[in-house]
Amino acid sequence: MKINPLTLSFPNPESEREFLQHYFRISLKQVRLALVLAIVVYIILGIVDIQFAPEIRDKLLLVRYGFVLPICVSVLGLSFSAYFRHIMQISISVAIGVAAIAAPVVAILIPALGVNYIGLTSLLMYNYTAIKLRFVTASITGLMIFLLYNILDLLMIQTPLAKLIEVDFYLMATMCVGMFANYQMEFYLRQSYISDRLLRKEQEKAEELLLNVLPASIAARLKRGDKVIAESFPDVTILFADLVNFTQLSATISAKELVNILNEIFSEFDLLAEKHGLEKIKTIGDAYMVVGGLPIHRADHAQAVASMALDMRAAIQRISNLSQEPLSIRIGINTGPVVAGVIGIKKFIYDLWGDTVNVASRMESHGIPDQIHVTGETYQVLQQEYTFEARDKIQVKGKGEMQTYLLLNKKSRENEANLHLEIFS
């Protein structure tokens, strides 16, 4: 992001608008403090006038309390309004200009006093530093003060030319120093803003990458500094899916085609997991694992996983038709307790352990292509809402003989109504 070296602005209007909002937020407190300081100073000067210059105090008080002080108080009051962000620069510029022009005005009203050049110089430095005017506004304000002072002096005060040139030299020197300081201040502030913005973008990228690896709640715990993350969940539903004969397919197509097909399939599965509110755990080769009911519990975790399984099967059929590749999928589902946690310090992963996980994996490996194979535990949860076909009992490693089922589809309302009629007829 570039900075215009003359105006200190960003070429991109959106970036400039965001910076001005940022500048307002960080400057507002200092602007208010500077205005309060100016008000206090003018009140004290008024008291000094009353005590030590009684013969001219009325004219002095007219300038200080009648013009300068009300404007400073008004700008301070405006700083608490919602619209101040839009008028901050111009309103401060007006306040500084009025305060500065008060010096030649006092000299016009009270010729014996002459122009308060020290006060005028101090106000110019105030304009460039304390009051937080931006470079362009501060430069224009300083130049207007200089020109108005010279015009009033030439027309009404008529200071000797040699003296006026001397004063102008000091005023110009003050303006140059002030403009340099103001320029540097805003330039480095803008550079800091660019750095912070780039840092935020990198942090957002890192956050996005972390959320692609871990569930949001787990990522938050890691960022808080939790060293060990492990939890038990008494009731979740796990899905394993594996592409059938994908290894053989990989031998017949190019590596690029293989990766493109796999990416298309898993991207579709990722969207389905998001759609159904499920947590993707991992992919291994051409296998996909997803879980419902953790890390945040939901009562309908089995229903959500079943719905995703049906959508996954439909997605594979659609992709197979479009790609003209013979794709099919085996899906296994089981419901029960698991332990979940984060393992590793490099390329760490949020993973699941327990018998429920092993059995879900067995359901996939003992399944039938293009079928959704579920355990009796999952069947018990879903039998009222989905239709199933019972399989012959199968031998499952580590579990022995098991009664399992094939999930066919979700019951329609019409079928449910007919079932109720049959029950009560």
Side-chain angles (χ1 to χ4, degrees):
M1 190 185 301
K2 295 181 179 179
I3 301 174
N4 186 306
L6 182 62
T7 63
L8 290 182
S9 60
F10 296 122
N12 186 305
E14 182 63 27
S15 299
E16 181 67 14
R17 185 161 50 251
E18 290 179 3
F19 171 77
L20 294 181
Q21 293 174 354
H22 168 74
Y23 188 84
F24 173 76
R25 287 193 300 270
I26 65 174
S27 302
L28 183 58
K29 185 176 181 180
Q30 186 171 339
V31 166
R32 286 172 177 165
L33 288 174
L35 287 167
V36 169
L37 177 61
I39 290 168
V40 170
V41 168
Y42 274 97
I43 290 174
I44 293 173
L45 288 174
I47 294 172
V48 171
D49 293 338
I50 293 171
Q51 293 295 320
F52 298 100
E55 67 283 355
I56 56 174
R57 67 182 182 187
D58 292 342
K59 292 180 179 179
L60 289 173
L61 291 178
L62 176 64
V63 175
R64 299 193 200 284
Y65 288 4
F67 293 98
V68 179
L69 199 57
I71 294 225
C72 291
V73 172
S74 298
V75 174
L76 180 62
L78 283 172
S79 72
F80 293 93
S81 73
Y83 303 101
F84 188 63
R85 179 170 65 87
H86 305 288
I87 61 172
M88 183 177 81
Q89 293 290 307
I90 186 65
S91 59
I92 295 172
S93 176
V94 169
I96 287 287
V98 169
I101 296 306
V105 169
V106 167
I108 294 169
L109 294 175
I110 313 170
L113 287 180
V115 179
N116 183 359
Y117 301 118
I118 295 177
L120 193 57
T121 303
S122 300
L123 279 168
L124 281 172
M125 288 305 297
Y126 206 69
N127 167 68
Y128 290 112
T129 55
I131 205 66
K132 300 299 288 184
L133 283 178
R134 289 175 29 244
F135 173 71
V136 172
T137 309
S139 299
I140 293 173
T141 304
L143 182 61
M144 292 303 295
I145 290 171
F146 179 80
L147 292 175
L148 285 172
Y149 156 70
N150 276 272
I151 291 170
L152 288 174
D153 194 294
L154 291 171
L155 294 178
M156 306 185 73
I157 303 174
Q158 297 180 347
T159 302
L161 184 58
K163 180 66 175 177
L164 182 59
I165 292 174
E166 180 186 359
V167 171
D168 279 350
F169 172 79
Y170 288 114
L171 293 180
M172 286 296 294
T174 302
M175 290 169 61
C176 289
V177 172
M179 288 173 66
F180 177 78
N182 185 271
Y183 185 97
Q184 294 296 314
M185 179 180 66
E186 184 174 344
F187 180 78
Y188 287 117
L189 185 62
R190 284 179 178 269
Q191 282 197 322
S192 176
Y193 172 77
I194 293 172
S195 299
D196 290 344
R197 188 173 179 180
L198 292 174
L199 179 60
R200 285 197 304 271
K201 286 185 176 180
E202 291 304 315
Q203 289 174 335
E204 288 170 1
K205 288 180 183 178
E207 179 79 11
E208 186 177 349
L209 287 172
L210 188 62
L211 292 177
N212 282 335
V213 175
L214 301 173
S217 60
I218 303 301
R221 290 177 59 181
L222 277 178
K223 288 191 292 184
R224 287 198 302 266
D226 290 5
K227 299 298 182 182
V228 178
I229 297 178
E231 296 177 284
S232 295
F233 295 90
D235 192 31
V236 303
T237 298
I238 299 169
L239 178 152
F240 278 94
D242 189 71
L243 296 173
V244 180
N245 296 325
F246 198 77
T247 302
Q248 290 86 332
L249 176 64
S250 65
T252 63
I253 60 177
S254 69
K256 184 176 181 180
E257 289 175 319
L258 177 72
V259 172
N260 284 339
I261 292 174
L262 204 57
N263 179 65
E264 182 180 2
I265 293 170
F266 284 175
S267 295
E268 183 75 18
F269 289 175
D270 288 346
L271 292 174
L272 289 174
E274 185 176 354
K275 170 187 172 183
H276 293 288
L278 303 175
E279 194 66 50
K280 173 185 174 182
I281 300 302
K282 59 186 173 182
T283 60
I284 303 175
D286 58 351
Y288 191 94
M289 179 183 180
V290 70
V291 62
L294 64 77
I296 300 174
H297 176 71
R298 55 182 294 181
D300 63 341
H301 54 82
Q303 290 85 347
V305 170
S307 296
M308 178 169 175
L310 293 169
D311 286 347
M312 290 170 76
R313 186 170 63 182
I316 287 295
Q317 292 172 352
R318 184 175 64 255
I319 294 172
S320 179
N321 292 334
L322 292 174
S323 65
Q324 298 183 341
E325 297 291 348
L327 300 173
S328 61
I329 192 171
R330 284 194 310 268
I331 299 176
I333 300 176
N334 186 29
T335 299
V338 297
V339 173
V342 177
I343 56 174
I345 57 174
K346 292 183 178 180
K347 298 184 180 179
F348 48 77
I349 185 174
Y350 183 71
D351 211 345
L352 310 180
W353 302 275
D355 188 60
T356 302
V357 180
N358 297 331
V359 173
S361 177
R362 297 285 185 268
M363 290 301 99
E364 179 275 312
S365 60
H366 287 70
I368 302 171
D370 291 325
Q371 296 294 334
I372 302 167
H373 192 201
V374 308
T375 60
E377 288 77 9
T378 302
Y379 169 77
Q380 291 298 324
V381 177
L382 297 176
Q383 61 177 322
Q384 299 301 322
E385 302 172 56
Y386 294 81
T387 57
F388 292 87
E389 177 185 319
R391 294 188 68 185
D392 294 336
K393 290 185 178 181
I394 60 173
Q395 287 291 328
V396 177
K397 181 180 179 181
K399 300 296 291 183
E401 195 174 64
M402 289 184 64
Q403 175 64 62
T404 61
Y405 302 82
L406 299 178
L407 170 63
L408 302 180
N409 51 54
K410 185 176 177 62
K411 292 179 180 178
S412 66
R413 292 183 179 179
E414 182 179 349
N415 289 339
E416 291 178 355
N418 292 337
L419 179 62
H420 283 297
L421 288 174
E422 291 176 6
I423 292 173
F424 291 104
S425 62

